[in-house]
Amino acid sequence: MSTIAADYERTDIGTIQIAPEVIEVIAGLATVEVSGVAGMSGGFAGGIAELLGRKNLSKGVKVEVGQREAAVDVSIIVEYGNRIPEIASEIQRNVKRSIEMMTGLNVIEVNVHIHDVHFKTESKPEEEDSNFRVK
């Protein structure tokens, strides 16, 4: 669940606020960088999955942001044949590192939800299509 970020940092000339949507985009990018991730899932409500397109970088990401801390949930689709625990651990490390480096927030948890497995479909050669009477 996204929450409105409180004043993140007060300086002598004003405050710095980071919108939760910014954290969602950072987490989404850090997630799809991990090898074995086929795409992001629409989340818990059963949204349509989106395979590694960069259209909506926050799809499948939920964040809670406080003044100094953030908690992140990512919903993913894995590519068939990969070890899910290894992918999930790499996502946790990459998301935590990216958010902390870019925002200075302390990431207290990164929860990874696996919603589907993507099977690679092999395209058939065009020679097989030549068996059809009509082209």
Side-chain angles (χ1 to χ4, degrees):
M1 157 179 6
S2 295
T3 57
I4 297 176
D7 290 343
Y8 167 63
E9 185 175 327
R10 187 170 298 279
T11 66
D12 42 333
I13 59 172
T15 59
I16 300 170
Q17 285 186 311
I18 300 174
E21 294 80 13
V22 172
I23 308 297
E24 290 173 352
V25 170
I26 294 169
L29 280 170
T31 299
V32 298
E33 287 176 352
V34 174
S35 177
V37 175
M40 303 296 287
S41 177
F44 315 104
I48 297 174
E50 188 170 314
L51 297 180
L52 283 186
R54 304 228 178 217
K55 296 173 190 165
N56 185 358
L57 298 174
S58 63
K59 182 179 187 101
V61 180
K62 305 280 186 218
V63 300
E64 291 182 34
V65 183
Q67 280 189 311
R68 299 281 177 203
E69 296 177 331
V72 182
D73 288 273
V74 294
S75 300
I76 67 162
I77 301 164
V78 296
E79 292 176 352
Y80 178 77
N82 290 285
R83 292 188 40 81
I84 292 173
E86 291 174 5
I87 292 170
S89 293
E90 182 61 27
I91 289 169
Q92 288 174 321
R93 285 189 296 274
N94 204 31
V95 167
K96 180 175 173 61
R97 179 177 47 244
S98 296
I99 292 172
E100 288 180 349
M101 181 187 70
M102 293 183 71
T103 68
L105 291 171
N106 181 34
V107 177
I108 57 172
E109 64 182 31
V110 177
N111 301 308
V112 180
H113 306 273
I114 315 303
H115 282 257
D116 203 355
V117 176
H118 181 266
F119 298 93
K120 292 183 181 180
T121 56
E122 295 182 26
S123 57
K124 297 180 182 178
E126 288 187 30
E127 291 119 24
E128 290 181 21
D129 292 344
S130 64
N131 294 334
F132 294 114
R133 295 187 326 181
V134 179
K135 291 184 183 180

